[in-house]
Amino acid sequence: MEGPRRRVVGLVRGVHGLRGAVRVEVLTDAPERRFATGASLYAEGSAEPLTVESSEPVPDGPGWRLRFHQLPSRTDAEQLRGVYLEADVDEPIPADRADSGGPRVFWDEVIGVAVRSPTGEELGTVRDVYRAGEAEVYVVEGGDRGSFDLPVVRDFVLEFAPREGRLVVDPAALELPEPGRRRRPRGRRTVRAARAAEGGAD
């Protein structure tokens, strides 16, 4: 049986107060479990665990506020600013599966999958994943129609089988330009596709 795999569950956006609290963007649908008091998290790339001393949802906005036993002061916590937090995950966490209709997959299983139209035209490859509200959004790049963001919902996704290398979408519903006519780039807030990223609910 495969053991736990390290997955990204949050991104530290800032430091709050003098006692080492950090404000975390949630990258898991199970923050109550991942951020529970006593849980172990890891700064991305580190083998040293950080033990959650206290946690709570931010009352005036998105995200959670966490304090770690190993980082008792604001100065200590500053080292986490802009750092991804990882957790050991025992089983697959579902990414958004076109409104819960598809298989359980990790975000990193989607990165690199080719995106095609129903006629077989290759529209690009999934290069990144980020969350917009309750939905997952894939950043697709490399096709003749230019880069685009793909919300993973039934209106756009016709077939969702990333483990088999199949991700079929509706170009018309996405309002993609005709081949060779690239759409104007737009700004976006993305979450870097970490080598181990967690998405969806568990």
Side-chain angles (χ1 to χ4, degrees):
M1 181 177 179
E2 186 177 350
R5 300 174 67 183
R6 192 69 56 81
R7 302 291 174 191
V8 169
V9 295
L11 172 63
V12 178
R13 288 293 186 180
V15 180
H16 178 82
L18 301 177
R19 300 178 58 201
V22 295
R23 186 165 182 155
V24 177
E25 178 182 347
V26 177
L27 302 179
T28 171
D29 280 349
E32 296 85 357
R33 179 148 60 101
R34 299 298 179 211
F35 303 154
T37 300
S40 292
L41 299 177
Y42 301 83
E44 183 183 6
S46 173
E48 297 298 322
L50 296 170
T51 306
V52 178
E53 186 170 296
S54 66
S55 66
E56 61 178 351
V58 175
D60 59 347
W64 278 58
R65 190 171 293 140
L66 308 182
R67 291 183 61 239
F68 296 104
H69 176 74
Q70 293 83 356
L71 305 173
S73 72
R74 182 184 182 92
T75 300
D76 295 325
E78 281 285 353
Q79 64 186 283
L80 290 183
R81 190 187 294 270
V83 172
Y84 286 90
L85 298 175
E86 301 177 339
D88 288 327
V89 178
D90 293 321
E91 61 183 75
I93 310 302
D96 187 297
R97 284 107 38 222
D99 299 337
S100 301
R104 299 171 66 87
V105 298
F106 289 112
W107 280 9
D108 58 348
E109 293 180 302
V110 178
I111 302 298
V113 173
V115 178
R116 293 182 169 84
S117 72
T119 61
E121 176 193 353
E122 188 163 331
L123 302 172
T125 301
V126 179
R127 298 299 186 193
D128 202 355
V129 182
Y130 67 94
R131 189 183 303 280
E134 297 300 316
E136 309 294 342
V137 181
Y138 298 163
V139 179
V140 181
E141 299 176 347
D144 288 340
R145 304 197 193 200
S147 301
F148 61 94
D149 291 355
L150 171 63
V152 188
V153 295
R154 293 186 189 279
D155 288 345
F156 304 127
V157 179
L158 306 178
E159 184 177 2
F160 186 86
R163 288 177 179 167
E164 288 75 45
R166 295 195 309 277
L167 187 51
V168 179
V169 304
D170 184 344
L174 287 164
E175 298 183 350
L176 297 184
E178 291 302 313
R181 297 183 61 188
R182 296 175 180 271
R183 64 170 59 184
R184 183 174 299 172
R186 299 172 304 176
R188 65 165 72 96
R189 178 185 64 82
T190 64
V191 172
R192 184 179 60 213
R195 60 182 175 274
E198 179 188 20
D202 55 350

